[in-house]
Structures are given as C-alpha cells and as structure tokens.
Amino acid sequence: MFVRVAIVRVRGSAPRESGTFMDVHADRLVGTIGGGQLEYMAIAEARRLLAAGGGALRMEVPLGPAIGQCCGGHVTLQLTGTEGEDAPAPNLPTVLIFGAGHVGRALARALSLLPVAFRVIDPRTDELSLLPDGIERVLTPIPEAEVRAAPANTAYVILTHDHALDFLLAAEALGRGDAAYVGMIGSSTKRASFRSWLRRSVPGLSDTGLTCPIGAGFSRDKRPEVIAAFTAAELMGLFGPADMKEENHEDVAARTPA
C-alpha cells in the first residue's frame, strides 16, 4: 500500500502547481510536492494513514508564517490510500534525440533529471555505447522510421553527425504536422541551407515549425554541455504545466514597476 498525496487546489503562490502528486510508501517516496514544511507535514499524515491501514484525508494548508514557508499562498492536498506496491507511471512528454555525439550525450544526461520520457537514436554502435547507463537507446540504420512511428506531440531533437540526415529527419518530423517541437542543431547558415533543400526536395513543406539553432534563445555558447542545458530548458518551457506558466507570468508582472 502507498498513499498518494495530490495538490488539488492552489491559491496564490505555492511550490508546485495543481495536479502535482507524490506517492508515500512506508520506506520511500516517489515524486515531490515541492519540499519544505508542506511536504514534511504531508508525509507525516500519509504515514499515519499507512499505519492505520489506509483511508483518505483532505488537508488545507496556508503557506505563510504558520508553517514557515514564504510562498504565502494556500494549498489543498488530497491524501488517498492506494493498494499495491507501485504507482502507475506518469504520462510524460516524449522526446526523441537523434544523434549520440557530444551534444546528444550531454542532452541525455540533462534530460535524465527531468520529467520526460526520452531515448537516443543513432546508427553508430560506438557512440551509443558512450551513453550513461540506464538511458534508453535505439540502434537503427533507418532513424527516420522512428519519426514515423512516434506518437503525436513528440519533441524531436536532431543532432546527428550528417547534415543530409539532419535534413531528412527534420523534414519527416515537420511533415507529420503534429510535433510538439522540432529542433535541429546548427546555425542560421545551416537553416538557410535546409530551407533551400526543402524547396528542392520537399516542395510545399515549410520550415516555419523548426527551431534552429536550438537553445539559441538563451545563449550562443557552443560548448556541448551548455547547448544541452539550454535545449533542455527550451523543452521544459514547452512542456511545463499551463497553470504554472500563467502563475509565473503573473508573478513577474507583479514585480515589474509600472
């Protein structure tokens, strides 16, 4: 048995958004609702439910001086005892990384810490072998088949060793019309070359949905780890919960002088 602790309502500022949950087992935690006193209180109540054999509890928690959190908002938590040893896997956004070179490996390391489901695709055994343990990898001579088989709303990050292959994969992803993100490593010159290639090879397909260069909205730094960090931030900005984006926008507006 475990107890699922879910944030069901947020008023004002809070560490996490409505819909966030964590699962409290007798000997471990899965996920987080933001840490601090809010989480400690929820864990204590969840463990009491576990000791009692289950049940449910709703908690109304003001995040002010009463519990020592500076957020100042108000959070409603729903605690529900659930049979079984493991919670169902969350429905995570899907990211396909094409290319296991320096940037691909750095991006895989960055995404391994984030709430996304991803895999690295490459036709080169040696490059895939350099990925950290535990990262899903696909060895295939036809990586474009992975684009065709992907679910809707997949993010495609194209970082291969071959410009011609990059162009083919980008065209496949753009041609689907349902990608959450299509990013290709490169420069403005490479993008212009891709646009010319599209006109010749795939007439009628626009590059409007392409992000190239990737991560450039944050920095022009060309070090693989930095490109990976900013590309991960680009993706998380895309996948972040809508209500969290709205709250952050309001917070910024509130701090901006008139």
Side-chain angles (χ1 to χ4, degrees):
M1 172 178 283
F2 62 91
V3 173
R4 172 154 294 181
V5 180
I7 299 178
V8 296
R9 187 182 183 194
V10 172
R11 284 175 284 168
S13 181
R16 297 294 301 272
E17 64 281 358
S18 179
T20 300
F21 66 86
M22 71 175 180
D23 293 325
V24 180
H25 297 251
D27 58 351
R28 70 187 191 280
L29 304 173
V30 180
T32 177
I33 58 170
Q37 287 299 318
L38 172 67
E39 185 160 300
Y40 295 145
M41 290 172 61
I43 292 168
E45 293 299 333
R47 293 249 160 90
R48 276 193 271 273
L49 285 178
L50 285 173
L57 174 68
R58 182 165 288 234
M59 297 174 62
E60 301 287 347
V61 187
L63 303 177
I67 68 165
Q69 290 205 207
C70 61
C71 301
H74 188 283
V75 171
T76 303
L77 302 178
Q78 178 64 45
L79 283 64
T80 307
T82 304
E83 293 295 331
E85 288 300 316
D86 293 298
N91 185 22
L92 299 176
T94 300
V95 180
L96 300 186
I97 302 172
F98 292 91
H102 294 294
V103 178
R105 295 196 298 272
L107 182 57
R109 289 193 293 271
L111 293 185
S112 68
L113 303 174
L114 299 171
V116 298
F118 72 94
R119 56 187 179 273
V120 182
I121 301 155
D122 201 294
R124 301 169 297 170
T125 304
D126 290 347
E127 296 297 320
L128 287 172
S129 70
L130 298 176
L131 285 165
D133 291 342
I135 288 177
E136 185 178 354
R137 61 204 73 190
V138 178
L139 175 66
T140 175
I142 45 171
E144 62 270 26
E146 296 296 313
V147 178
R148 296 167 192 161
N153 298 315
T154 292
Y156 305 89
V157 187
I158 301 165
L159 315 160
T160 83
H161 60 295
D162 184 337
H163 280 203
L165 181 56
D166 283 353
F167 290 178
L168 173 62
L169 292 169
E172 287 279 354
L174 291 168
R176 287 183 53 125
D178 63 0
Y181 172 93
V182 181
M184 182 169 67
I185 196 167
S187 61
S188 56
T189 302
K190 183 175 179 180
R191 180 168 192 146
S193 297
F194 175 65
R195 191 177 291 126
S196 297
W197 179 88
L198 271 184
R199 284 196 295 266
R200 296 191 308 271
S201 305
V202 195
L205 182 61
S206 170
D207 71 332
T208 301
L210 178 68
T211 298
C212 180
I214 54 174
F218 299 92
S219 170
R220 296 287 180 174
D221 196 310
K222 295 182 179 180
R223 288 172 289 178
E225 294 79 8
V226 177
I227 295 171
F230 287 130
T231 301
E234 202 164 71
L235 289 167
M236 294 314 298
L238 173 73
F239 290 137
D243 56 347
M244 183 173 68
K245 291 179 185 176
E246 290 168 3
E247 178 182 320
N248 286 343
H249 177 75
E250 290 167 2
D251 288 347
V252 170
R255 293 194 301 268
T256 303

